[in-house]
C-alpha cells in the first residue's frame, strides 16, 4: 500500500482535526502518501481530493470542527453511488480509506469494502458516545465539558432568582451526554431515552425538593427522551408546579469549541492505529479504546452490539441530588 485517503462523515465532533493530523503524520512515518477527501462521502463522489503532508496538518489540533469538512450523502448509500466512489479512489491511486465518523459512516465504509474491495478502517468521531467497540468516542469529552460549563453558569441564575431550569443536551437515541453531564454538574434530575419518564413522579420529586430544601433546581434532558424534549416537558408540568421555570436548549453549541486534552490524546492514538491497521493489510475494522488499550473491532461486531448506557450514572445523579 502506497497511498491512503481520509475523510470525515456525519456530524462534526471536537478532536476530528487531531485525528486527521495523526493519520497524516503516522502515514508519513510509514512512507505512505495521504489524500484528504473534503466533505465526506459527498465530496468523494465529486472528486474533492487534496494531498496532505505533515506540514499541511500543523497547528490544527486546537480547533474544533474539521479542516476537511463533513457531510451526509444519500447518493453514496445507493449501489451506483458506491461504485462511483470506488472508481474515484482507484483513479486517484488510493488503496486504503480512513473514515472518521459514527455508525452511518461505518456502514457506508463496510459496504464500500464488501462491494469493491477497498480497504477501510473506521475511527469513532461523534459527541454521542454511542458507538460500540470503544469506551469513548472522539468529541464526547469536549461536549460533556461544554454542556457542564453551561450548566454551571445557569445554576448561578437559577439560584439567584429561585428558578427551575430544564437544560436540553444532544442525544436523540442515547443518554450518554445527559447522564455524564447530570452527574458531573450536580443536576437534580436527568431524563434519558433509555429510562421511561414518569411526568407525575418528576413533578413530585421537584415539588418535594424545591421550596423545602432548595431554592432552585436543574433538570438535564436528553433531546430524545420518550416524554419529549425540554420544551415539551416544561410545558407539560407548568401547571403542576408553582416554581418559575425556564428552558435552555444547548443544541449545536455542544459540537464546537477547542477539544479537551482527553479528546486530543484519544484522537492521536486512534488515528495512528488506523493507519497502522491499513499498512498491515487489515480492513473492515473500527479502532477504539477499551480500558485504556487501543483495540480493533470488526465492523460486524460493532453493528451487532448496542452500547449500553451506564444506568448507575443516572441512579447516582438522582441519589446525590437531595
Amino acid at each position: 500500500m502506497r497511498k491512503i485517503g481520509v475523510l470525515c462523515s456525519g456530524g462534526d465532533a471536537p478532536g476530528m482535526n487531531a485525528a486527521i493530523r495523526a493519520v497524516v503524520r503516522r502515514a508519513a512515518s510509514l512512507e505512505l502518501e495521504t489524500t484528504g477527501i473534503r466533505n465526506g462521502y459527498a465530496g468523494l463522489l465529486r472528486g474533492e481530493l487534496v494531498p496532505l503532508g505533515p506540514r499541511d496538518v500543523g497547528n490544527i489540533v486546537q480547533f474544533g470542527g474539521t479542516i476537511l469538512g463533513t457531510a451526509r450523502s444519500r447518493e453514496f448509500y445507493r449501489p451506483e453511488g458506491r461504485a462511483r466512489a470506488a472508481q474515484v479512489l482507484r483513479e486517484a491511486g488510493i488503496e486504503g480509506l480512513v473514515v472518521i465518523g459514527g455508525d452511518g459512516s461505518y456502514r457506508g465504509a463496510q459496504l464500500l469494502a464488501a462491494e469493491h474491495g477497498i480497504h477501510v478502517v473506521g475511527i469513532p468521531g461523534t459527541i454521542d458516545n454511542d458507538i460500540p467497540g470503544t469506551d469513548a468516542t472522539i468529541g464526547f469529552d469536549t461536549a460533556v465539558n461544554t454542556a457542564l460549563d453551561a450548566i454551571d453558569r445557569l445554576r448561578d441564575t437559577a439560584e439567584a432568582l429561585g428558578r427551575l431550569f430544564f437544560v436540553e443536551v444532544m442525544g436523540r437515541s442515547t443518554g450518554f451526554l445527559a447522564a455524564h453531564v447530570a452527574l458531573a454538574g450536580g443536576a437534580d434530575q436527568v431524563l434519558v431515552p433509555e429510562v421511561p419518564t414518569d411526568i407525575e413522579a418528576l413533578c413530585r420529586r421537584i415539588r418535594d425538593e424545591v421550596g423545602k430544601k432548595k431554592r432552585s433546581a436543574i433538570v438535564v434532558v436528553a433531546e430524545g427522551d420518550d416524554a419529549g424534549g425540554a420544551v415539551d416537558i416544561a410545558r407539560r408540568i407548568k401547571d403542576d408546579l408553582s416554581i418559575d421555570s425556564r428552558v435552555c436548549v444547548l443544541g449545536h453549541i455542544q459540537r464546537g469549541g477547542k477539544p479537551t486534552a482527553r479528546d486530543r490524546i484519544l484522537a492521536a492514538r486512534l488515528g495512528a492505529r488506523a493507519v497502522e491497521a491499513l499498512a498491515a493489510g487489515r480492513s473492515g475494522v473500527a479502532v477504539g479504546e477499551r480500558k485504556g488499550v487501543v483495540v480493533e473491532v470488526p465492523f460486524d461486531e460493532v453493528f451487532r452490539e448496542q452500547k449500553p448506557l451506564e444506568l448507575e450514572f443516572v441512579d447516582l445523579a438522582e441519589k446525590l441530588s437531595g
Side-chain angles (χ1 to χ4, degrees):
M1 185 171 296
R2 289 182 289 184
K3 183 186 289 189
I4 66 171
V6 58
L7 63 79
C8 299
S9 175
D12 63 305
M16 281 184 165
N17 282 326
I20 294 168
R21 173 182 180 271
V23 166
V24 173
R25 293 195 168 178
R26 184 63 179 118
S29 72
L30 293 172
E31 299 184 346
L32 299 175
E33 296 179 40
T34 304
T35 295
I37 300 165
R38 298 188 184 279
N39 302 312
Y41 292 125
L44 174 57
L45 291 170
R46 294 191 294 264
E48 297 179 10
L49 312 182
V50 56
L52 292 178
R55 298 280 65 81
D56 297 312
V57 294
N59 196 32
I60 66 171
V61 292
Q62 71 270 35
F63 297 120
T66 161
I67 62 167
L68 290 176
T70 185
R72 294 180 172 88
S73 172
R74 292 185 179 181
E75 183 181 356
F76 181 81
Y77 285 94
R78 295 194 292 268
E80 56 271 26
R82 293 189 295 276
R84 170 59 183 157
Q87 180 183 355
V88 171
L89 291 172
R90 290 196 178 97
E91 289 177 353
I94 297 172
E95 303 165 85
L97 182 64
V98 176
V99 175
I100 307 170
D103 180 80
S105 305
Y106 282 8
R107 292 183 186 276
Q110 185 190 46
L111 289 170
L112 191 62
E115 295 171 356
H116 301 283
I118 304 296
H119 282 62
V120 296
V121 173
I123 296 177
T126 169
I127 68 169
D128 290 327
N129 197 36
D130 59 349
I131 303 299
T134 184
D135 295 335
T137 59
I138 296 169
F140 176 66
D141 187 69
T142 305
V144 168
N145 279 280
T146 297
L148 182 61
D149 181 65
I151 285 176
D152 288 345
R153 294 168 186 268
L154 288 170
R155 188 179 295 283
D156 292 341
T157 294
E159 188 66 17
L161 296 173
R163 282 179 177 164
L164 163 65
F165 267 89
F166 290 92
V167 183
E168 182 179 298
V169 298
M170 284 186 163
R172 282 185 304 224
S173 58
T174 60
F176 288 96
L177 264 175
H180 282 244
V181 169
L183 182 57
D188 298 274
Q189 299 294 326
V190 54
L191 309 180
V192 296
E194 292 85 348
V195 180
T197 295
D198 184 332
I199 294 294
E200 292 184 5
L202 175 64
C203 289
R204 187 165 55 251
R205 289 195 297 268
I206 294 173
R207 192 181 301 112
D208 288 345
E209 291 183 3
V210 180
K212 296 179 182 179
K213 305 176 183 177
K214 301 180 178 181
R215 179 175 169 81
S216 64
I218 300 286
V219 177
V220 176
V221 183
E223 63 179 322
D225 184 71
D226 69 301
V231 174
D232 289 339
I233 292 172
R235 176 181 50 78
R236 291 174 63 180
I237 71 171
K238 181 178 181 181
D239 295 335
D240 293 327
L241 296 174
S242 58
I243 183 173
D244 192 19
S245 67
R246 293 290 187 274
V247 173
C248 182
V249 178
L250 298 184
H252 285 74
I253 192 174
Q254 296 157 94
R255 284 189 178 172
K258 291 184 177 182
T260 60
R262 166 68 173 136
D263 275 329
R264 298 184 200 193
I265 292 169
L266 179 65
R269 297 180 74 199
L270 299 188
R273 181 60 170 268
V275 173
E276 291 162 2
L278 285 177
R282 295 190 292 277
S283 177
V285 298
V287 294
E289 182 187 69
R290 286 177 169 172
K291 298 181 179 179
V293 178
V294 176
V295 298
E296 297 173 21
V297 182
F299 282 148
D300 288 342
E301 183 178 330
V302 173
F303 301 147
R304 189 166 55 244
E305 299 177 359
Q306 183 171 358
K307 191 172 182 178
L309 175 67
E310 313 99 321
L311 292 178
E312 63 268 26
F313 279 40
V314 175
D315 183 58
L316 184 57
E318 294 186 356
K319 287 179 178 176
L320 299 181
S321 67

